[in-house]
DNA sequence: ACGTCCAGTGGAAGCGCTCCCACAAGCCCG
DNA sequence: CGGGCTTGTGGGAGCGCTTCCACTGGACGT
C-alpha cells in the first residue's frame, strides 16, 4: 500500500508544490541519478539525456531543493560576513561599505550567498558562535576591527574555514587574513609632508582600539622621530567627518603654527579641511593635509585630497579567495596571510 | 551487511564529525523521536527524559543540522533583506542603515537569520529572482526605493511571503508594505515654516525616482499653494550632505531673499546649514530650516535641526512582523499595509 | 575471435531530521 | 471495575537529493 500523504488536489498538475527531481527525471525519461548528473554539470551523461533533462527542467520550472542538496553534499553554498558592531561606525565607514560590496560581488561570481551577521560583543556573540558552529554556512569572512574581539580564537577552535579582513587581534597565526600595511601607509603619508618641508606635523589618529588606527599612528610617529621632528600633536578621531573636525579644531588650538596634518581616514581629513578653511588657512600652502583610504571621498573635497590608497576592493576579493581555497580543499583552515602595500595618491591637498 | 561508509578512525569518539540526533538519543537512553521532541520545545516529554536529553546535548555539543531539519519542516529560518542597489546611495543613507539594524534586531529575537541580497537591476536581478524562488529563504523584506523596480510584481507572482519597506512602485495592492506618510510629513514641515512667518520658502527635494522624494515635495507644494505662496524654489538633491550643499547654493543664488528651506533629508539639511553659515545667514532668524528623518544627524548640526521624524525603527519592526505573520499562517502573502504618521521634532533650526 | 575498457545508466542506500501513528501505562469517572 | 481519557514513548516512513556500485553494450586492442 503506497503512502499517499499529499492533499488530494495534488494529484493534478499541482501548481502549489515545487517539482522534484523525480518529476524531472520521469518527464525526461531517465532515472533520478541521471537527471541529477545532468543538472550538476553533466558528467558522464549522454547528449540526448542531457538535452531531455534540460527540457524537462525548463518546462517544469524546476529548482533543486537546497536543503536536500546540502544535506548530502554537506555544503550550503553560503558564507557569512561577520561584522562585530559595537556601534554604527561600521556603516558610516566607507571602508566597510566597500568591503561589503567587494565581498558580495566576488561571492556572486561563484554563486555563493552572503549571510550578514551583525553581532555586538556579549549575548549576541554567543548566538553568533552558535550559528557559526551549526553547519549553516561553509565559511566566514570577518571584518576585524576591534581589539577585544575573540572571534578569531573561537573560529580557529571551530575549525571553520574563515578569512579575516584586517589582522585579528588574537590567533593571528592560526587564521587566514588579508590586511594592508598600515604602518608603511602612515609612514608614506608623513614622509610626503616632511619632504614637502613641513616641520610641525600633526595627526588625527583613529580610535586606539583598532589596528588601522594604531599602526597608522605609529607610522607617523616613527617618521617624525627619524626626521628629528616633534611627535606630540596627536588627537584621536572616530574615523568620521565630525570627529575629524573636532580633532582639527583641537590641534589648531594647541599648535596654531602647525603646517601639516596626517589623518587616518579621508573622512577625518575632509573634516580637517573644512576647519582649516574656516580658520582661513590655505591648503596646501599653509597646511598640507594627507588622508587615508581613497575611496569616494578624496575627489570631492576642496581641495582634492592627497591620500594613501587602501586597496579595499582587492582585499575583499583576496579574502574571498582565501576563504574559497579553504572551503575547497578540506584540509581545514590554514593561516595564510596576504598583506597589501599601500600607495600614495597625490592630489591637491599636499 | 551494514554499510560502513565512514573513515575507520570514526569508530572512536570522532571529534571531527558533528554529533547527530541519534547519538544524543542513545546517550540519553531515549528514542530519536523523544530526543527530537525534547529539543524542540519539550512538548509531551517527561521531565526525566527532557533532562536526560538536555544533558546529552550539552555533553556532546550537539547542534541540529539545519539542512536536515529544513528538509522536513520546509522552513529555513532565514529571511532575505533585498536591497536594489543601483548605486552606493543606499549605504550612505542613514535611513537604510537604520533599517538594516532594525530588521536585524527584530529577526534576532526570533532566531531568524538575515541573508543580505544586493542586486542591481539587470543580470543580477535574474539571479536574485532565481534565488528567491528556490526555497532558500522563508520570506523577504524589500527596501523599496526606486521607481523602475519590478520586484514587487515578481514576488507577488512567486507568492513568497514578503514585506516592503516603502510603498512599492507596482503591485502595491498585492503585497504587504509599511511606509510613512511622506506627503503629510512634507506638509507638516512646510506648515511649520509658514506659521513661523516665512514667506519665501524653498525646498531641497529628494531624487525624482524615489517615492520619499516625490511625496515630500508634493507636501511642500500643496502647503505653499494653500497658503498662497510661490512654489517655484525647488532644487533636487541626492539625499547626501554634498548634494544638499550644492542645492542650497543654487537656491541662494536664485532667491537671495529666501527665508525658509524644507529639506527632504537631514543630511541635505545639514549641508544647507553649512552653506547658509558660509553665506552669513543666521538660522533660524534669517532662514529657518527643517530636515527629514531624525536619525542621528539632527542633534549634531549647529544649530540643531528641527526635523520630521521618520519612525524607522518601528517601520522595520513592523515590516518584520508583517512578514512573520505571512510566514506563520501559510495562507500565502497578503497585502496588508501599515502607514506611520510622521511627527515634527522641534529643535533650533526652525 | 576474445577479453578489456569505458561511457552511460539505474537501483538503492543513505544524509539527519520531524512527525504520524500505534501502543503502553496511569488516571478519573460512573 | 471496565471504558474512556490523557500522557509519554518508540517505530518507522519519509523530506529531496547525491553518489556508490553494479551493470550494460559497443569500441577497441591483440
Amino acid at each position: 500500500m503506497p503512502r499517499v500523504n499529499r492533499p488530494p488536489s495534488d494529484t493534478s498538475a499541482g501548481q502549489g508544490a515545487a517539482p522534484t527531481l523525480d518529476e524531472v527525471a520521469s518527464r525526461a525519461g531517465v532515472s533520478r541519478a541521471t537527471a541529477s548528473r545532468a543538472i550538476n554539470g553533466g558528467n558522464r551523461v549522454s547528449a540526448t539525456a542531457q538535452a531531455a533533462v534540460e527540457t524537462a527542467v525548463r518546462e517544469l520550472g524546476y529548482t533543486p531543493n537546497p536543503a536536500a542538496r546540502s544535506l548530502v553534499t554537506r555544503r550550503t553554498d553560503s558564507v557569512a560576513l561577520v561584522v562585530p558592531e559595537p556601534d554604527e561606525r561600521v556603516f558610516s565607514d566607507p571602508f566597510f561599505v566597500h568591503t561589503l560590496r567587494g565581498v558580495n560581488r566576488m561571492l556572486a561570481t561563484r554563486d555563493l550567498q552572503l549571510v550578514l551577521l551583525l553581532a555586538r560583543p556579549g549575548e549576541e556573540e554567543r548566538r553568533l558562535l552558535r550559528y557559526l558552529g551549526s553547519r549553516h554556512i561553509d565559511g566566514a569572512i570577518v571584518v576585524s576591527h576591534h581589539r577585544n574581539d575573540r572571534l578569531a580564537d573561537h573560529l580557529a577552535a571551530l575549525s571553520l574555514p574563515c578569512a579575516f579582513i584586517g589582522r585579528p587581534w588574537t590567533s593571528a597565526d592560526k587564521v587566514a587574513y588579508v590586511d594592508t600595511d598600515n604602518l608603511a601607509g602612515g609612514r608614506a603619508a608623513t614622509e610626503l609632508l616632511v619632504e614637502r618641508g613641513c616641520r610641525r606635523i600633526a595627526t588625527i589618529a583613529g580610535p586606539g582600539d583598532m589596528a588601522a588606527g594604531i599602526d597608522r599612528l605609529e607610522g607617523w610617529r616613527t617618521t617624525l622621530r627619524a626626521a628629528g621632528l616633534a611627535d606630540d600633536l596627536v588627537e584621536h578621531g572616530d574615523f568620521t567627518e565630525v570627529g575629524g573636525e573636532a580633532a582639527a579644531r583641537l590641534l589648531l588650538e594647541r599648535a596654531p603654527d602647525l603646517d601639516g596634518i596626517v589623518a587616518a581616514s579621508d573622512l577625518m581629513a575632509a573634516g580637517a579641511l573644512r576647519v582649516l578653511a574656516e580658520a582661513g588657512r590655505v591648503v596646501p600652502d599653509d597646511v598640507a593635509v594627507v588622508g587615508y583610504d581613497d575611496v569616494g571621498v578624496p575627489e570631492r573635497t576642496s581641495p582634492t585630497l592627497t591620500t594613501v590608497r587602501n586597496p579595499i576592493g582587492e582585499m575583499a576579493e583576496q579574502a574571498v579567495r582565501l576563504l574559497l581555497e579553504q572551503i575547497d580543499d578540506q584540509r581545514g583552515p590554514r593561516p595564510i596571510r596576504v598583506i597589501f602595500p599601500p600607495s600614495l595618491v597625490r592630489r591637491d591637498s599636499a
Side-chain angles (χ1 to χ4, degrees), chain A:
Chain A
M1 193 77 179
R3 278 178 28 109
V4 180
N5 242 348
R6 306 198 164 186
S9 67
D10 227 53
T11 321
S12 66
Q15 230 292 14
T20 71
L21 186 58
D22 266 308
E23 299 172 41
V24 171
S26 69
R27 184 180 192 104
V30 298
S31 73
R32 209 167 58 241
T34 302
S36 175
R37 268 175 241 128
I39 288 165
N40 299 297
N43 259 349
R44 281 180 157 4
V45 174
S46 69
T48 31
Q50 180 74 35
V53 171
E54 277 169 12
T55 309
V57 165
R58 209 172 315 113
E59 288 172 353
L60 255 33
Y62 169 77
T63 340
N65 180 321
R69 176 176 278 181
S70 75
L71 181 56
V72 31
T73 59
R74 282 134 188 295
R75 298 263 259 117
T76 62
D77 293 320
S78 58
V79 324
L81 181 66
V82 179
V83 183
E85 188 217 17
D87 53 13
E88 306 173 25
R89 204 190 304 166
V90 211
F91 284 105
S92 47
D93 195 343
F95 173 83
F96 169 73
V97 171
H98 281 257
T99 300
L100 174 56
R101 306 179 79 209
V103 168
N104 190 62
R105 180 167 34 75
M106 193 66 186
L107 291 178
T109 65
R110 300 269 297 241
D111 245 301
L112 295 172
Q113 269 315 315
L114 198 173
V115 177
L116 186 64
L117 263 25
L118 305 178
R120 275 174 284 281
E123 179 50 36
E124 290 186 29
E125 187 169 294
R126 300 205 55 73
R127 247 179 60 86
L128 171 68
L129 288 170
R130 185 153 38 86
Y131 186 79
L132 292 177
S134 307
R135 298 173 293 303
H136 265 287
I137 50 163
D138 295 338
I141 299 240
V142 184
V143 178
S144 173
H145 260 338
H146 290 275
R147 170 163 260 155
N148 47 359
D149 173 354
R150 324 222 343 122
L151 223 46
D153 300 345
H154 290 126
L155 285 175
L158 238 47
S159 89
L160 179 78
C162 66
F164 281 66
I165 296 182
R167 180 166 55 81
W169 283 95
T170 56
S171 298
D173 54 328
K174 298 207 200 78
V175 299
Y177 68 87
V178 302
D179 205 349
T180 46
D181 190 341
N182 286 305
L183 203 69
R187 267 203 308 263
T190 314
E191 277 160 13
L192 175 68
L193 295 191
V194 171
E195 282 160 20
R196 227 181 172 284
C198 299
R199 285 295 164 264
R200 195 74 178 106
I201 302 176
T203 190
I204 303 179
D209 65 341
M210 294 169 80
I214 294 171
D215 291 355
R216 290 170 195 176
L217 173 59
E218 191 53 28
W220 171 84
R221 186 157 273 148
T222 52
T223 305
L224 287 191
R225 288 194 180 156
L229 298 173
D231 65 346
D232 60 316
L233 286 180
V234 179
E235 287 295 338
H236 285 268
D238 58 356
F239 280 144
T240 70
E241 189 157 4
V242 178
E245 287 181 14
R249 255 187 270 278
L250 252 43
L251 288 171
L252 227 37
E253 202 170 290
R254 282 173 55 188
D257 61 327
L258 69 83
D259 57 5
I261 298 181
V262 174
S265 84
D266 289 333
L267 243 26
M268 294 198 296
L273 287 182
R274 191 159 268 148
V275 170
L276 290 171
E278 274 173 21
R281 311 295 174 99
V282 177
V283 174
D285 301 338
D286 298 341
V287 182
V289 177
V290 184
Y292 211 115
D293 281 348
D294 193 33
V295 35
V297 180
E299 302 90 328
R300 299 199 202 126
T301 57
S302 112
T304 57
L305 204 53
T306 290
T307 193
V308 180
R309 180 162 157 62
N310 216 344
I312 301 180
E314 288 112 279
M315 282 174 69
E317 207 168 287
Q318 184 61 249
V320 174
R321 206 169 290 136
L322 288 186
L323 182 66
L324 294 180
E325 273 172 26
Q326 293 178 67
I327 293 179
D328 286 345
D329 58 284
Q330 271 295 8
R331 272 171 295 164
R334 274 165 309 154
I336 311 169
R337 73 182 60 176
V338 178
I339 310 293
F340 286 83
S343 62
L344 212 48
V345 179
R346 300 212 46 172
R347 294 204 183 78
D348 298 334
S349 71

